[in-house]
Amino acid sequence: MIHIIIKILGIGLGVVLLALIRGQMLVTRTYTVNEHSENRVRITAIADLHGNAKGHKKNQLIERIQKSDPDLIVYLGDMVDRNHVDDSIGVLLSLTESLSKIAPVYYVDGNHELDLKSSSPEKYEHVIERMSELGAVQLENETVSVEILKKGPESEKNVTVNICGISTHYYWGDEEFALTERLRVMDGINVLICHYPESVIWYKVFEGGEPDGTDLKEGDSGNGHLDVALCGHTHGGLVRVPFKGGV
């Protein structure tokens, strides 16, 4: 019995150590959505940096993104950190200055940005102003359409990407549902970005309707399409390890 307990504790310790090590590594994950579509764009998404990109880490991140050759770059929130406000703001602005030269940048706030907005509105406004000057576009419960010029071996064409950024956390109302419904029926590649993946799950944004399954509008069966939802917040996933967080 003691041996079994020791083995269980050993496995648990190994999982925690692995999570800690992985948490300090720069990991790139590539997902292909609707690979048979003729309209293809590449989006690089960054989430929950919390200002953790200095020196060689920042250079490594920029190099990795440059190699991925993105058409668009999106930030999914918590790029600053409420506990290291000034340092994390400096990292964010410096990183954005570099990344905006690679591809257009769009972003939504996370809970740390909203905390900064409440606790230090002057600093928050400074960040928003500087981000705009650097070419980054904040999406605050709004949708923009972006034309991407794709060059082929014999021709080139414009591909429309509709990006809806929802900054509301947890409790969505009519405005948020209307945004996702509108996005779903737009022509082009339809992308939702928001900080909380729980919102995407609770409100069934790929299906339309409220958490109880009723549709927002009578007779609406969600015939349009939402290609992908990009979210952050969970720091690795919805599986949580005590005292560590997402794995």
Side-chain angles (χ1 to χ4, degrees), residues 55-85:
H56 71 281
K57 284 187 178 181
K58 175 193 165 189
N59 294 332
Q60 186 183 17
L61 179 60
I62 294 171
E63 290 173 4
R64 190 79 62 90
I65 292 172
Q66 196 161 24
K67 286 181 180 179
S68 72
D69 190 26
D71 298 300
L72 296 167
I73 298 172
V74 296
Y75 298 164
L76 303 175
D78 283 4
M79 298 294 283
V80 302
D81 192 289
R82 70 170 74 93
N83 299 314
H84 309 282
V85 172

Side-chain angles (χ1 to χ4, degrees), residues 177-189:
F177 287 125
L179 280 166
T180 56
E181 289 297 312
R182 170 61 182 152
L183 177 68
R184 190 177 288 111
V185 298
M186 294 179 74
D187 294 328
I189 298 173

Side-chain angles (χ1 to χ4, degrees), residues 75-120:
Y75 298 164
L76 303 175
D78 283 4
M79 298 294 283
V80 302
D81 192 289
R82 70 170 74 93
N83 299 314
H84 309 282
V85 172
D86 292 333
D87 285 346
S88 62
I89 288 175
V91 169
L92 171 61
L93 297 179
S94 177
L95 182 66
T96 302
E97 184 175 11
S98 298
L99 295 185
S100 60
K101 297 173 183 176
I102 298 174
V105 177
Y106 296 84
Y107 71 98
V108 290
D109 285 342
N111 51 293
H112 279 251
E113 283 85 9
L114 293 184
D115 287 346
L116 177 63
K117 186 177 183 178
S118 298
S119 63
S120 184

